[in-house]
Amino acid sequence: GGIITQTPKFLIGQEGQKLTLKCQQNFNHDTMYWYRQDSGKGLRLIYYSITENDLQKGDLSEGYDASREKKSSFSLTVTSAQKNEMAVFLCASNTGYQDTQYFGPGTRLLVL
Amino acid sequence: AQSVDQPDAHVTLSEGASLELRCSYSYSAAPYLFWYVQYPGQSLQFLLKYITGDTVVKGTKGFEAEFRKSNSSFNLKKSPAHWSDSAKYFCALGNQGGSAKLIFGEGTKLTVSS
């Protein structure tokens, strides 16, 4: 078994601020993902990475940057926080194509 | 374009009844499909998946789903339902083209009353 940890659990920022969310997994998975979940809605893919130093854009990548410097970690940066970005950001990982994705507990973002 | 539709935003039923949550997909080639569950205040948990082979797949927590190519559906079923099944359920679609990406439906919130 393994676990995905996301830090921080809650992130409060000011409009226009640059904010970074972190994700760590100890599954030894190759692929990692960042999703955004708006209240009451489904998940939308922001970025994913199939290996260290790889980055692939999802459908919602505008306004975000990502970084995969180690196999076990994947960071997401909100480049300029906007009030309509209040959401939960979920990190996930798996071995890749067709494998089950395992999800972290999420980071809840609040922009004042 | 690929898409997933979960047409029922809310489903309410009584404990002991049979539950069936609907999922339809749009994809021109062979899909692979997942169901996940999200309990209040928690993250997503894997229930089951269809890749190929048997069209009825069994998962965790007593759930099963049937893949029907004829009407592009992958409905989730359980009988009987228990109050602890109250949660939000998400269907997700992947393609057979080698991409690791999934497309998620908007989810169905299930309430099982005791």
Side-chain angles (χ1 to χ4, degrees):
Chain A
I3 192 167
I4 297 177
T5 55
Q6 292 186 238
T7 55
K9 188 172 181 178
F10 297 96
L11 181 56
I12 301 173
Q14 300 290 327
E15 194 170 19
Q17 193 175 359
K18 186 175 179 180
L19 301 167
T20 298
L21 295 71
K22 295 185 184 294
C23 176
Q24 298 259 6
Q25 53 95 4
N26 64 0
F27 287 101
N28 199 34
H29 284 159
D30 292 309
T31 306
M32 296 185 74
Y33 307 80
W34 276 108
Y35 292 93
R36 174 174 147 182
Q37 185 178 26
D38 292 283
S39 180
K41 300 290 187 181
L43 279 68
R44 289 185 286 175
L45 183 65
I46 305 172
Y47 269 98
Y48 68 107
S49 167
I50 62 173
T51 189
E52 190 176 321
N53 293 317
D54 173 74
L55 291 175
Q56 311 272 344
K57 291 184 177 181
D59 295 330
L60 201 64
S61 61
E62 190 170 334
Y64 301 94
D65 287 329
S67 173
R68 181 94 182 272
E69 294 175 1
K70 291 192 303 184
K71 184 175 182 178
S72 62
S73 66
F74 193 29
S75 298
L76 180 73
T77 297
V78 182
T79 56
S80 178
Q82 303 296 315
K83 283 193 176 178
N84 63 6
E85 285 184 301
M86 286 182 284
V88 175
F89 291 82
L90 294 171
C91 177
S93 73
N94 66 2
T95 59
Y97 177 57
Q98 292 186 344
D99 186 40
T100 299
Q101 292 185 23
Y102 294 91
F103 285 82
T107 292
R108 187 174 296 273
L109 174 65
L110 174 63
V111 181
L112 303 176
Chain B
Q2 299 170 59
S3 64
V4 176
D5 183 38
Q6 295 182 250
D8 304 309
H10 300 273
V11 170
T12 301
L13 45 82
S14 299
E15 194 170 36
S18 298
L19 78 85
E20 182 168 359
L21 305 183
R22 297 187 290 166
C23 172
S24 63
Y25 67 90
S26 175
Y27 180 52
S28 57
Y32 64 97
L33 295 149
F34 292 82
W35 276 99
Y36 284 86
V37 60
Q38 187 175 37
Y39 297 101
Q42 296 186 27
S43 192
L44 273 72
Q45 297 178 29
F46 168 73
L47 282 178
L48 50 80
K49 67 181 177 184
Y50 169 80
I51 304 293
T52 187
D54 288 341
T55 56
V56 177
V57 292
K58 295 188 185 299
T60 61
K61 305 180 192 291
F63 286 92
E64 67 175 39
E66 183 175 7
F67 170 68
R68 290 191 174 179
K69 186 178 177 181
S70 58
N71 62 356
S72 301
S73 69
F74 188 55
N75 293 351
L76 184 70
K77 302 176 186 179
K78 182 178 180 181
S79 184
H82 189 264
W83 63 267
S84 61
D85 295 325
S86 298
K88 193 157 188 178
Y89 292 80
F90 293 94
C91 181
L93 165 71
N95 68 63
Q96 298 283 4
S99 169
K101 291 169 59 174
L102 291 182
I103 295 171
F104 283 81
E106 296 225 334
T108 296
K109 185 175 180 182
L110 174 68
T111 302
V112 181
S113 56
S114 57

